[in-house]
Amino acid sequence: MSQGARRKLTIGALASVGVVAVAGTPLALQTLASHGVDVPVLSAPKSLMALLDARSPGEREKGALTSTKPRKLAVAAAKPSQRALGKIVRPSPAPPAEFVEALIPPGAVAAAPAIAPPPTLAEVIPTVGGIPGSGSPPGVALVGSPGGGGPGAPGAPGVPGTPETPLNPDVPSAVPEPATWMMMLLGFGVIGSSMRRRRHSLPGTPRLA
Amino acid sequence: MRRLIPFLLLLLFVAGSGAALFVLRRDAQPAAATLQVQAPSPQLGAPRTYLADAQQRQAQAAGGFEQSPRSLLRIDRAMQYGDFLWHEDGVPPGPVTVRVDLRTQLISVFRAGHEIGTAVVLYGADAKETPLGRFPILWKGKNHRSSLYDAPMPYTLRLTGDGVAIHGSDVRWGAATHGCVGVPTDFAAKLYGQAGVGDAVTIVRSAKPA
């Protein structure tokens, strides 16, 4: 290898070492500082006033003592406040097996009559339409209706032992939702404005100047 | 083969620095401990922050420090109303000075340049402002009762002839004084034990840090 090539190699090696040293120094310093070694470059002393300010409870603003706004007072006092969270209703777990066995002995369960399945739509509709004296209009036949409610015939009795209709899970709340309130108020407004408009537009109505 | 030399050197450097870091990392804890022992002044009882020269110059610039402060008590959080800290273990005897800063609502008691106590204070309401300045303590009264306001003022250190004093108070948010400096009563008792007639109390309203 020639002299020039060797020099090039040496320069390249030195340059690469220099680059690594320069790039690695901040990393090494950071590592040292993070391990508790005091690196004077990084841990410049904090300002004295900053030290004193850090322990201060804060300034008392002009007029803070005469302010009667409770929200401001609460914020300034920095008291923890309670938040009312929505109630979480979890589905109740199945009762323990011992309770079930104590209340209902296994033999009794076998002797109890089987609960009839909930009626289908086809079974329910004839009982509604089966009022005596009323019949389905001619030509109208309910699909799957088993001949109930013929003309003049007494209504088919309800299926005995039918359990109660299960409660609709979407029972409307007793308290109207805000949207409902808004809708009602809007309706009142519309009624009022239409009445006012009608009164103004009626012929012969004296208009107030 | 010769072309590989720079890469080998690089590898050697990386491996060497890695090994050095590993060794330093293992020795990090003992090194920190020895650094703490080599504090610029003898180790005192309470955890404190020793001030560098630059910070002492800042103190002179800020004003209100009768003597150049050498160390502060280390408090890592903001104090609340009624909080105070008192640590005088290991602090040598010396002149006692008190600095009250109305902006930060803090009092600092120094002995021989070391802070031995600090508390959150109450100060005068907007209509009855606390005077600023340097006030030597005029009179001490342990169970003083104000004749002006007919109120108990335990551990009173009177500062002015018209009645401004440092005394024990119920320090809570929303309260203020008629010009006095109110400190927690337990703190006032300790301060009463330290400060004597003639010791300087400086009341300042420091500038807001930028």
Side-chain angles (χ1 to χ4, degrees):
Chain A
M1 193 176 278
S2 70
Q3 195 74 19
R6 188 175 295 172
R7 185 176 292 169
K8 269 186 187 169
L9 259 182
T10 317
I11 290 171
L14 284 176
S16 60
V17 166
V19 164
V20 167
V22 166
T25 303
L27 193 71
L29 282 177
Q30 203 76 44
T31 315
L32 282 178
S34 68
H35 288 299
V37 180
D38 191 29
V39 183
V41 181
L42 291 181
S43 62
K46 224 175 157 187
S47 154
L48 176 71
M49 285 299 125
L51 279 176
L52 289 173
D53 269 54
R55 64 165 81 159
S56 163
E59 297 177 39
R60 194 183 82 193
E61 298 295 334
K62 203 89 172 164
L65 299 173
T66 47
S67 169
T68 52
K69 301 258 176 158
R71 191 184 300 164
K72 277 189 183 173
L73 292 178
V75 167
K79 280 181 184 156
S81 62
Q82 248 184 349
R83 274 193 311 149
L85 298 175
K87 190 178 177 184
I88 298 170
V89 182
R90 291 195 174 80
S92 56
E98 304 94 61
F99 286 1
V100 175
E101 282 177 11
L103 289 172
I104 310 164
V109 173
I115 297 167
T120 59
L121 184 69
E123 285 166 349
V124 172
I125 286 172
T127 66
V128 174
I131 303 162
S134 78
S136 2
V140 176
L142 287 166
V143 178
S145 78
V159 181
T162 306
E164 290 180 338
T165 315
L167 275 176
N168 187 0
D170 304 324
V171 179
S173 166
V175 182
E177 298 280 334
T180 317
W181 274 111
M182 291 308 293
M183 181 67 93
M184 194 183 79
L185 292 177
L186 192 71
F188 274 123
V190 167
I191 290 170
S193 70
S194 66
M195 284 172 74
R196 191 181 167 85
R197 186 166 296 186
R198 171 177 285 188
R199 193 171 59 207
H200 282 184
S201 64
L202 277 178
T205 310
R207 297 189 72 169
L208 297 175
Chain B
M1 186 62 209
R2 294 250 170 152
R3 274 164 199 245
L4 284 178
I5 286 175
F7 298 106
L8 282 176
L9 275 173
L10 196 75
L11 197 69
L12 201 68
F13 181 81
V14 170
S17 53
L21 273 182
F22 178 73
V23 170
L24 279 170
R25 187 174 170 169
R26 245 184 11 182
D27 295 346
Q29 289 314 106
T34 49
L35 276 177
Q36 270 194 352
V37 172
Q38 293 164 357
S41 62
Q43 189 68 20
L44 307 178
R48 36 182 78 240
T49 306
Y50 294 93
L51 300 181
D53 290 344
Q55 289 169 313
Q56 296 189 10
R57 281 195 294 277
Q58 284 171 1
Q60 284 174 359
F65 293 94
E66 190 71 14
Q67 49 187 328
S68 187
R70 292 162 65 189
S71 73
L72 293 181
L73 294 171
R74 188 174 295 166
I75 300 170
D76 297 331
R77 59 178 182 84
M79 296 167 79
Q80 298 297 311
Y81 290 85
D83 282 356
F84 69 89
L85 191 66
W86 189 275
H87 273 300
E88 53 175 307
D89 301 338
V91 176
V96 174
T97 56
V98 179
R99 177 181 189 268
V100 179
D101 190 342
L102 301 186
R103 185 182 65 80
T104 56
Q105 309 194 68
L106 292 173
I107 185 172
S108 289
V109 182
F110 292 94
R111 192 170 80 198
H114 297 287
E115 191 182 35
I116 57 175
T118 183
V120 179
V121 301
L122 297 180
Y123 63 97
D126 295 341
K128 290 254 185 187
E129 293 191 347
T130 300
L132 304 180
R134 180 184 180 277
F135 306 98
I137 294 172
L138 301 176
W139 175 81
K140 287 172 69 174
K142 196 169 182 177
N143 292 315
H144 178 60
R145 186 170 186 91
S146 165
S147 57
L148 199 56
Y149 300 111
D150 193 23
M153 296 191 172
Y155 304 106
T156 289
L157 304 172
R158 180 164 290 165
L159 304 180
T160 69
D162 58 355
V164 173
I166 299 177
H167 60 77
S169 292
D170 177 16
V171 178
R172 63 187 197 282
W173 190 90
T177 66
H178 288 87
C180 288
V181 174
V183 293
T185 306
D186 293 341
F187 180 88
K190 292 177 186 298
L191 177 59
Y192 186 87
Q194 281 293 320
V197 172
D199 289 343
V201 175
T202 318
I203 303 178
V204 295
R205 182 181 278 278
S206 63
K208 259 188 193 176

